[in-house]
Amino acid sequence: MRHPNTQLAPTNQAGPLPQLTADRFITDGGLETSIVFQQGVELPDFAAYVLLDSGDGRAALRRYYEPYLDLAAETATGIVLDTPTWRASLDWGARHGYDAEGLADINRRAVGFVAGLAAEHPDVRTVLNGAIGPRGDGYVVGNSMSIAEATNYHELQVRAFTDAGAHMITAVTMTTAEEAIGIATAADRAGIAAAISFTTETDGRLPSGQTLADAVGETDRATEGSPAYYMINCSHPTHFAAVVRTGEPWLERVKGIRANASALSHAELDECTELDRGDIVQWAAEYAWLSEALPDLRVVGGCCGTDHEHVAAIAVHRRTS
């Protein structure tokens, strides 16, 4: 059964996603970094989904999400609300004691959890988004998969999100086009809308070495353009600024940005023992520039090191500009 928010278009077949027809939607920020560094909660492998299995864990998640929903209400902005499931796939789940059945269940419960939070904010236009992370590390390309292998691997999460009534899924922090294509293919088979979000190194290229332009083009060709849109996440705006400045036609497909707070490289961030929140004022100014450079930027939010104060800075700027 789908969540009873009838103003949303939950799948490709049901019509366009609301963030594609509205002026601007926000997202949340760096869920894992916020919970680890700001709440002091340990997350082995940055696996936030395990928090759903305890009362204390669910309380920590609620403390994290509520400021974003309050912000959306205050700024009259819609929100794409992610499930805490970036690590809730088969290989990572096995490391934390979850078999396939247990993972499917917790992914479904993750949708129910964020749907419950959304129901407490009936005036906020909320898109329930099933978040899917990479099979390997989010910063490093490990053993590469074929498209078919990626489709089969990620199908469990995609099906669980679809069955639980998510409105869409997003493949987050993708490091290769092949894995992105596999997730988009699984979503297409399940009949649920999908966004694809690539990460970049400091040179604006994917960790695989592929350019963003080539990754988007390859994914669109392989899927006949099935992704609803593309995003860039988990890198600082200065890392991909030169790419955005090109103004090339493919950038019309990039409709979302979720940047890191820190300008450090992925390798440097891996070594950090303290949270680097960056310069929020400068970070928001860089988003203002991105809004001018990208022809159809619709979804803005944060990634590692960001919290609701970062997202508030870009939400307020948009409202007053």
Side-chain angles (χ1 to χ4, degrees), residues 25-88:
F25 268 57
I26 62 169
T27 74
D28 59 295
L31 187 155
E32 293 83 7
T33 53
S34 292
I35 288 179
V36 170
F37 290 103
Q38 295 184 325
Q39 294 195 37
V41 177
E42 185 177 354
L43 291 180
D45 296 322
F46 264 28
Y49 73 93
V50 301
L51 298 176
L52 293 166
D53 277 338
S54 72
D56 287 345
R58 291 189 295 275
L61 288 170
R62 173 179 284 274
R63 286 193 297 272
Y64 168 76
Y65 282 113
E66 284 187 333
Y68 296 99
L69 286 158
D70 291 341
L71 174 64
E74 292 166 7
T75 58
T77 306
I79 184 169
V80 179
L81 195 62
D82 281 10
T83 54
T85 51
W86 184 64
R87 286 299 199 208

Side-chain angles (χ1 to χ4, degrees), residues 45 85-96 103 131-155 157 171-176 178-180 182-183:
D45 296 322
T85 51
W86 184 64
R87 286 299 199 208
S89 62
L90 289 164
D91 289 357
W92 294 103
R95 288 169 61 95
H96 309 133
L103 275 173
I132 298 177
R135 184 175 188 174
D137 190 285
Y139 292 163
V140 180
V141 178
N143 295 327
S144 60
M145 290 184 288
S146 69
I147 293 171
E149 289 171 333
T151 303
N152 291 336
Y153 178 80
H154 290 290
E155 189 172 26
Q157 272 191 291
V172 187
T173 325
M174 291 291 105
T175 60
T176 68
E178 290 81 6
E179 188 165 18
I183 296 173

